[in-house]
Amino acid sequence: MAQPHAVEVLLRPAVELYTVAVCTGAAILCLVAPWSLALNPLLGLGSALAFLTFGAIRLRDAWAILRYRRNIRRLPRYVMTSRDVPVSQQRLFVGRGFRWEQRHAPADADLPAGVPPLCRADGDLPAAWRLEEQLEFAPFPVSTLARALAWDSPLNPARPLPPVGGLPRLHGIEPHEVDVTLPLGERVGHTLVLGTTRVGKTRLAELFITQDIRRKVRGEHEVVIVFDPKGDADLLKRMYVEASAPGAKASSTCSIWAGRTSRRATTPWAGSGGSPRWPRIAGQLSGEGNSAAFREFAWRFVNIIARALVELGQRPDYLLIQRHVINIDALFIEYAQHFFAKNEPKAWEIIVQLEARLNDKNIPRNMIGREKRVVALEQYLSQVRVYDPVLDGLRSAVRYDRTYFDKIVASLLPLLEKLTTGKIAQLLAPNYSDLSDPRPIFDWMQIIRKRAVVYVGLDALSDAEVAAAVGNSMFSDLVSVAGHIYKFGIDDGLPGASASVKVPINVHADEFNELMGDEFIPMINKGGGAGVQVTAYTQTLSDIEARIGNRAKAGQVVGNFNNLFMLRVRETATAELLTRQLPKVEVYTTSLVSGATDSSDPTGNTAFTSNTQDRVTSTSVPLIEPSHVVALPKGQCFALIEGGNLWKIRMPLPAPDPDEAMPKDLQELAGYMRQHYVEAGDWWENQGLPSLQDSALPVDLMDDFKQMAGDAAAAEA
């Protein structure tokens, strides 16, 4: 937006066109009839060139006015196919836009005070659109007029506006756009994307993920991990297409966790660095107030069980943890047999004798309800000096009163039920000895070492509680792996391993407030040292605070994101997260001052004097207001990147790729999922463009889609 003067008025009629018309007529006259102006043919030619030059200058000025008026009504369409998405080894492409500076603040402030037909997006077309509404159900000959008015083409003078809402003028005030990119070095500072439902967060995530999958660093692909609580079919297919592209490595495969489907198996619970990480299950329990003591006990109790299972040569999983939480006596007896068989083989004879002497009268009060063998073991251990940390932990657990013990683990059991219900148990706790099971088994360290692409679809629409529990557990384990990489590198334990070897780990967490816990704070605070680059997507700041339950901790989370993308939001407090970080700027405004003064000389010829002035004053205004963020069209955002530089960006709409055609049955299935499985479809689907192009998928992935669609249909029924 050019501004050669202190106050530039662009919201006005293009009066320069009058000069253009006069110059054009004069030039024609000089060429056709130079004699009418007392010119010879040669001077007539020179005069015509002079008129045309001046007319061209005025036409350029008029075009700036016309372009400005057009852009504040309707922005040009911005379409891009997936193959055209630029991929750089240095920068991350975001979209097209401009840097929002001081000169843009007064331009937007002056728009509401301008001429209404010039600044309204609908202009002079409401009559045509009302006619279209009235003719919607008209009979055949007349209904063609309604279809003609609804024709989305530049040839239609009553062309409908794109269904993106908001104020187009927020972006149209600057006609000179550039490609907006984010340096990859800034991504390690993590990125937060805020936006209400159906305004383009998923499209922005798809744009980022596509580039992350295609990008290579020193010939190696980057690690891409996507957490999707909703289960977006378009995003899943886009990831599969990119990971299966001809230039992708075989190790860059797309592993899928498709909600309740059992086509893929994952075990993200293998120990790292030789230490079991099962006690982190208790991290999902509430730690506020009196609940803190119960969470600490649950942590200790799960840790005791996990250590005992490891000593017994068993792999801990959720089913075993749940079984022994409900009945700790069986694990105590089994571990005692294992311990005494190795250390004191004759001790078991004494324990059997003690068990035979027990009856209801000589059992201690705190051991009532326990098995007699457990009571005998406790009596024997109280008489001899035996030191084993695992045995001592189990002993301390069984010494609690049975009723009291059930109360203090009551908060742990519902969580374990969420993680062991239905087919979730088959995914979290696969049978390692079943060689006929074709499902792959992986953990986060294997994924990072293979530079794999992982999609984690949690099916939160069907069961939000189970999805939150599973997602938080997987996310918590990823935090622990990041800590291990920070200390030892990704090749720890392999020949020639070096702690300095790290790879970019791109973590995209949609609706991340449903996945996060207290462990998320050290993840974004210190995870950059392990190469973790988190891009988190959520709707409001209140979602984060509601999940954590503490405003101070929510502030810690938000304060660790260096890059902020703010799409349309409905909560003022969320919009102020951006606007309060921006300075106020000095802008020039004009004011009309007029006055009249009566003459005090009764004999004079002047009865009064009048004056009219245009005053230019300087005022301080915010760079943007929260109302600007609330009024953003879909697919547009304000971005605070690269150390606080404010950019206004619009993201490209997806266009069809001819080489990504799916079979007809999968196209029908994908269409059904878009209508039923996701909330309301994507915001760009109603604009006559496919939301995402489909690609040929393997048979097992086809089964995943069919089962997901079936689950959605059953839930709807």
Side-chain angles (χ1 to χ4, degrees):
M1 183 180 62
Q3 189 167 334
H5 308 290
V7 178
E8 183 73 13
V9 180
L10 296 176
L11 193 61
R12 59 175 173 80
V15 295
E16 293 86 353
L17 292 176
Y18 301 140
T19 306
V20 174
V22 172
C23 291
T24 303
I28 294 174
L29 186 61
C30 290
L31 291 174
V32 176
W35 50 265
S36 63
L37 300 177
L39 300 174
N40 60 34
L42 183 59
L43 291 178
L45 178 60
S47 299
L49 292 176
F51 279 120
L52 290 176
T53 301
F54 183 67
I57 295 174
R58 298 299 286 170
L59 181 61
R60 184 191 61 182
D61 298 337
W63 172 244
I65 301 298
L66 295 175
R67 180 178 54 185
Y68 179 80
R69 286 166 48 183
R70 181 200 64 187
N71 287 345
I72 64 176
R73 291 183 179 187
R74 178 200 298 268
L75 286 174
R77 180 160 297 192
Y78 182 27
V79 179
M80 179 180 293
T81 62
S82 61
R83 66 168 61 183
D84 294 332
V85 174
V87 179
S88 170
Q89 306 301 321
Q90 304 295 330
R91 307 187 72 85
L92 178 73
F93 174 75
V94 182
R96 292 189 63 82
F98 57 92
R99 185 170 176 179
W100 190 280
E101 297 176 338
Q102 178 181 5
R103 68 178 186 271
H104 299 112
D108 182 65
D110 289 343
L111 283 176
V115 183
L118 298 179
C119 66
R120 287 205 312 260
D122 52 15
D124 299 322
L125 299 177
W129 292 346
R130 285 196 297 269
L131 179 62
E132 177 189 341
E133 295 175 358
Q134 295 171 1
L135 299 179
E136 180 180 1
F137 301 104
F140 166 68
V142 185
S143 62
T144 56
L145 178 59
R147 289 195 295 269
L149 292 174
W151 184 30
D152 190 8
S153 171
L155 301 177
N156 181 11
R159 184 183 183 184
L161 293 172
V164 297
L167 299 176
R169 65 176 186 244
L170 291 176
H171 201 90
I173 59 177
E174 175 57 71
H176 303 292
E177 293 182 297
V178 297
D179 287 344
V180 182
T181 58
L182 176 68
L184 294 182
E186 295 288 331
R187 294 193 67 189
V188 75
H190 311 301
T191 303
L192 177 63
V193 180
L194 292 169
T196 189
T197 305
R198 320 317 304 172
V199 295
K201 293 195 304 295
T202 303
R203 173 55 184 164
L204 185 61
E206 182 183 326
L207 191 65
F208 290 169
I209 293 169
T210 298
Q211 298 176 71
D212 290 341
I213 296 176
R214 294 181 184 177
R215 189 183 304 112
K216 294 182 179 180
V217 178
R218 294 183 296 274
E220 295 285 346
H221 287 271
E222 296 184 1
V223 181
V224 181
I225 302 172
V226 177
F227 290 89
D228 184 11
K230 299 188 301 292
D232 190 288
D234 289 339
L235 180 60
L236 170 59
K237 284 183 289 184
R238 170 53 51 204
M239 293 182 61
Y240 182 85
V241 168
E242 298 299 338
S244 305
K249 291 180 59 177
S251 61
S252 183
T253 57
C254 183
S255 300
I256 304 162
W257 181 305
R260 296 173 177 270
T261 182
S262 59
R263 299 296 304 174
R264 298 289 186 271
T266 61
T267 57
W269 312 116
S272 175
S275 59
R277 301 194 297 267
W278 288 97
R280 286 197 316 279
I281 297 175
Q284 298 189 50
L285 303 178
S286 174
E288 300 293 329
N290 296 331
S291 300
F294 291 94
R295 185 174 72 169
E296 295 299 324
F297 179 83
W299 184 95
R300 176 176 178 268
F301 191 51
V302 173
N303 182 59
I304 291 172
I305 293 176
R307 293 174 63 187
L309 291 173
V310 171
E311 291 294 331
L312 291 173
Q314 303 178 30
R315 181 186 294 270
D317 58 46
Y318 281 124
L319 293 175
L320 286 176
I321 295 290
Q322 182 190 31
R323 179 192 308 170
H324 295 306
V325 166
I326 297 174
N327 183 17
I328 188 65
D329 294 358
L331 182 62
F332 180 51
I333 295 173
E334 183 179 1
Y335 184 81
Q337 292 175 342
H338 169 77
F339 176 80
F340 289 130
K342 292 196 307 181
N343 297 280
E344 297 183 29
K346 297 183 179 180
W348 204 250
E349 299 178 1
I350 303 175
I351 294 172
V352 172
Q353 295 176 3
L354 292 174
E355 181 183 359
R357 300 173 187 172
L358 292 175
N359 53 52
D360 295 339
K361 295 182 179 179
N362 58 11
I363 293 179
R365 183 181 181 86
N366 65 309
M367 302 294 289
I368 294 177
R370 301 285 183 187
E371 295 185 23
K372 290 185 178 181
R373 180 156 297 183
V374 173
V375 179
L377 281 169
E378 162 60 22
Q379 291 180 350
Y380 176 79
L381 293 174
S382 63
Q383 298 173 4
V384 299
R385 290 181 174 271
V386 176
Y387 175 73
D388 181 76
V390 178
L391 186 62
D392 290 345
L394 291 171
R395 179 188 174 194
S396 66
V398 300
R399 291 175 65 182
Y400 284 106
D401 181 85
R402 184 63 179 264
T403 304
Y404 176 73
F405 178 81
D406 292 341
K407 290 180 179 179
I408 59 180
V409 299
S411 58
L412 180 61
L413 290 176
L415 175 62
L416 293 173
E417 287 289 341
K418 297 175 184 177
L419 300 174
T420 56
T421 301
K423 294 181 179 179
I424 290 294
Q426 301 176 19
L427 294 170
L428 294 177
N431 185 0
Y432 289 83
S433 60
D434 186 4
L435 300 181
S436 62
D437 190 349
R439 299 176 301 172
I441 298 175
F442 65 83
D443 58 34
W444 290 127
M445 186 62 74
Q446 294 179 20
I447 289 170
I448 295 171
R449 287 175 175 173
K450 292 181 178 180
R451 277 70 165 176
V453 178
V454 178
Y455 173 84
V456 182
L458 297 174
D459 193 15
L461 294 178
S462 300
D463 197 334
E465 293 293 332
V466 173
V470 174
N472 182 269
S473 298
M474 298 181 72
F475 204 86
S476 175
D477 189 72
L478 182 60
V479 173
S480 178
V481 171
H484 183 82
I485 295 174
Y486 182 81
K487 293 183 292 184
F488 306 109
I490 64 173
D491 296 328
D492 179 46
L494 301 179
S498 174
S500 61
V501 177
K502 298 179 177 64
V503 298
I505 305 172
N506 301 294
V507 179
H508 297 266
D510 194 9
E511 307 292 347
F512 84 105
N513 56 289
E514 299 182 9
L515 310 173
M516 63 182 297
D518 291 342
E519 70 281 345
F520 188 80
I521 296 175
M523 172 77 165
I524 58 177
N525 190 12
K526 306 175 180 65
V532 177
Q533 303 174 163
V534 178
T535 304
Y537 309 81
T538 190
Q539 297 176 354
T540 65
L541 291 179
S542 299
D543 294 335
I544 304 174
E545 184 176 343
R547 175 64 181 181
I548 296 183
N550 188 299
R551 176 171 295 184
K553 289 185 178 180
Q556 279 184 291
V557 172
V558 175
N560 280 282
F561 287 101
N562 285 277
N563 306 308
L564 176 63
F565 291 87
M566 183 77 70
L567 290 84
R568 182 200 299 174
V569 297
R570 304 303 303 172
E571 186 182 58
T572 304
T574 305
E576 290 177 347
L577 172 65
L578 173 66
T579 58
R580 286 185 176 180
Q581 300 183 52
L582 303 175
K584 289 189 175 183
V585 294
E586 295 290 331
V587 299
Y588 294 107
T589 59
T590 60
S591 57
L592 179 64
V593 179
S594 63
T597 305
D598 294 335
S599 175
S600 60
D601 184 5
T603 62
N605 296 326
T606 303
F608 65 93
T609 59
S610 64
N611 66 83
T612 302
Q613 304 175 8
D614 280 334
R615 293 183 179 178
V616 178
T617 58
S618 175
T619 58
S620 178
V621 299
L623 198 56
I624 59 172
E625 296 278 4
S627 59
H628 295 153
V629 181
V630 174
L632 279 171
K634 297 177 181 178
Q636 296 186 19
C637 68
F638 285 103
L640 203 61
I641 57 179
E642 294 187 80
N645 294 326
L646 181 64
W647 289 79
K648 177 66 180 62
I649 306 173
R650 60 188 181 117
M651 295 156 315
L653 300 176
D657 278 347
D659 60 340
E660 295 181 4
M662 283 182 64
K664 184 177 180 180
D665 57 345
L666 285 185
Q667 292 180 13
E668 296 175 354
L669 175 61
Y672 177 85
M673 291 181 62
R674 292 189 185 103
Q675 294 177 8
H676 297 83
Y677 198 74
V678 185
E679 294 178 2
D682 294 311
W683 60 265
W684 59 82
E685 287 184 356
N686 296 326
Q687 303 185 35
L689 294 173
S691 61
L692 187 69
Q693 302 316 302
D694 303 324
S695 58
L697 301 179
V699 176
D700 56 352
L701 188 56
M702 185 187 304
D703 294 340
D704 284 349
F705 278 136
K706 291 181 179 179
Q707 186 168 353
M708 292 167 67
D711 291 345
E716 182 181 4

